[in-house]
Amino acid sequence: MRPFSFTKAGDKATAIKVISEAEEGKFIAGGTNLLDLMKFHIMHPAHLIDITGVALKNIEALEDGGLRLGALVSNADTAYHAEVEKRYPLLSHAILAGASPQLRNKATDGGNLLQRTRCYYFYDPATPCNKREPGTGCSAINGYNRWHAIFGASEECIATHPSDMCVALAALEAKVQVTGPDGDRIIPFEDFHRLPVNTPEKDSNLYENEMITAIDLPPKGFSENFTYIKNRDRASYSFALVSVAVGLEIKEGEIKEARIVLGGVAHKPWRNKEAEALLENMKATKKNFENVADAIVSEAKAYEYNQFKVELARRSIVRTLMQAAKTEE
């Protein structure tokens, strides 16, 4: 056990002040990922700032018709919130596909966005890992890479982002509210997480001394035509090999808007807007869905043990689109 100091912050200003002054400080709320990382000696924060006392635990309506999720609302409370179930069922379904009831009761919405990859090499200090120790190499590229990325990877890292919730948030085009020493700012969800490129140790564009305060959902929730499908090794408490979140707007039998986001296949939720555009003003048919799926997976790059993911992704996209469109054709 490595020693660390501890502060309990009662408001945002105190939390930001403490982390700005602390050396190697980290916020802690649910702690469902951070404590594991500390136990496995992957992260060694010298100071923990408990933010569970900060007033960020509400879900409230926005003036534009959207919904604001406080960063400290639990995943369970979010999934079962009446407005989320009614207006954003895609998000509710995605959250309930993740983790276990016990973890969802403890984990927070803000923390879900910041969880680290579950790459086994990242969790093993005996192996080289650029994400854990930049410059040492990526053991997964030539190792056992069954869980790893087929999109957006680099020679530095082929890890995947583990969240189910984030896949749905990307499809909904949520916005992340953050605060720090320089004030508040808004990060569009598609810009929140990063691809590894040559800095795989950086998972997001959140600064070290900033904290997430809320996640804003837009008015459009695709409550009529949506589906979240998660392929995994077992039925529960397992991370996605490939997941797909789909939201469709259909009018008079034609698709007016399509959003397709994949999880378990990249360093961030993976979306191809050019492929989505192929469905605009098209009929919701299996053939059209297959064309879109082919366009998406055409950019895939598989490794020795995860080549199955390409076909699994293609079939999952078609299946998810068909379920969202409520068609069997």
Side-chain angles (χ1 to χ4, degrees):
M1 184 68 185
R2 299 194 182 201
F4 59 87
S5 54
F6 182 87
T7 299
K8 188 170 180 64
D11 53 61
K12 290 185 291 185
T14 301
I16 295 302
K17 181 178 185 296
V18 173
I19 200 165
S20 298
E21 296 174 350
E23 183 177 350
E24 298 181 17
K26 290 290 181 183
F27 293 125
I28 186 168
T32 56
N33 188 207
L34 178 58
L35 291 178
D36 282 344
L37 292 166
M38 293 172 66
K39 291 175 182 177
F40 281 98
H41 302 291
I42 308 304
M43 295 180 69
H44 313 107
H47 191 84
L48 291 182
I49 302 99
D50 181 349
I51 57 172
T52 55
V54 180
L56 299 172
K57 298 179 180 178
N58 294 326
I59 296 179
E60 54 194 10
L62 294 171
E63 291 184 0
D64 66 357
L67 200 66
R68 174 165 292 172
L69 311 176
L72 295 178
V73 179
S74 74
N75 290 175
D77 285 346
T78 301
Y80 291 120
H81 190 276
E83 285 297 298
V84 174
E85 288 185 308
K86 177 183 177 182
R87 298 175 53 198
Y88 307 95
L90 177 60
L91 177 59
S92 180
H93 285 214
I95 292 173
L96 294 175
S100 66
Q102 295 90 339
L103 287 171
R104 293 193 297 267
N105 284 336
K106 189 68 175 174
T108 63
D109 290 349
N112 191 294
L113 274 58
L114 297 174
Q115 60 181 305
R116 308 298 304 273
T117 182
R118 294 320 197 274
C119 171
Y120 12 82
Y121 297 107
F122 174 68
Y123 271 83
D124 183 0
T127 62
C129 172
N130 286 323
K131 182 176 285 294
R132 177 174 18 87
E133 191 175 350
T136 58
C138 176
S139 297
I141 290 178
N142 295 311
Y144 186 62
N145 40 44
R146 183 171 180 270
W147 275 11
H148 291 75
I150 57 174
F151 296 107
S154 71
E155 293 303 310
E156 301 295 323
C157 179
I158 62 172
T160 58
H161 194 269
S163 173
D164 291 287
M165 180 180 183
C166 288
V167 182
L169 290 174
L172 292 170
E173 296 185 351
K175 295 180 179 179
V176 185
Q177 299 277 351
V178 307
T179 190
D182 297 326
D184 302 338
R185 66 186 180 113
I186 301 172
I187 307 175
F189 203 84
E190 65 178 340
D191 298 328
F192 186 80
H193 296 104
R194 300 163 55 103
L195 292 177
V197 195
N198 59 358
T199 54
E201 70 277 11
K202 297 180 180 179
D203 294 340
S204 76
N205 287 309
L206 187 75
Y207 300 142
E208 288 291 328
N209 56 2
E210 287 183 318
M211 67 182 288
I212 298 172
T213 58
I215 302 161
D216 288 352
L217 305 179
K220 181 182 288 188
F222 298 96
S223 59
E224 293 296 321
N225 297 97
F226 72 93
T227 298
Y228 184 76
I229 285 179
K230 180 178 182 178
N231 298 290
R232 46 189 163 177
D233 286 327
R234 55 181 183 265
S236 67
Y237 198 35
S238 184
F239 296 101
L241 293 168
V242 174
S243 64
V244 185
V246 163
L248 299 175
E249 181 182 354
I250 301 176
K251 292 183 179 179
E252 299 178 354
E254 291 187 350
I255 298 171
K256 299 304 177 184
E257 184 176 8
R259 297 185 189 170
I260 307 164
V261 182
L262 278 67
V265 295
H267 202 256
K268 60 183 289 185
W270 188 256
R271 185 179 177 190
N272 184 325
K273 293 184 180 181
E274 291 76 17
E276 291 175 352
L278 297 175
L279 287 176
E280 289 182 9
N281 301 314
M282 301 294 287
K283 296 290 185 181
T285 66
K286 184 177 181 181
K287 179 60 177 175
N288 288 334
F289 294 157
E290 288 175 339
N291 290 339
V292 171
D294 289 341
I296 293 174
V297 302
S298 66
E299 298 181 350
K301 177 186 177 182
Y303 296 84
E304 182 177 1
Y305 294 101
N306 71 353
Q307 295 180 28
F308 73 95
K309 277 194 173 190
V310 179
E311 181 62 15
L312 180 59
R314 190 188 73 81
R315 295 189 185 196
S316 297
I317 293 165
V318 174
R319 178 182 164 205
T320 311
L321 283 165
M322 292 182 67
Q323 288 191 17
K326 303 174 185 177
T327 181
E328 297 180 359
E329 298 179 2

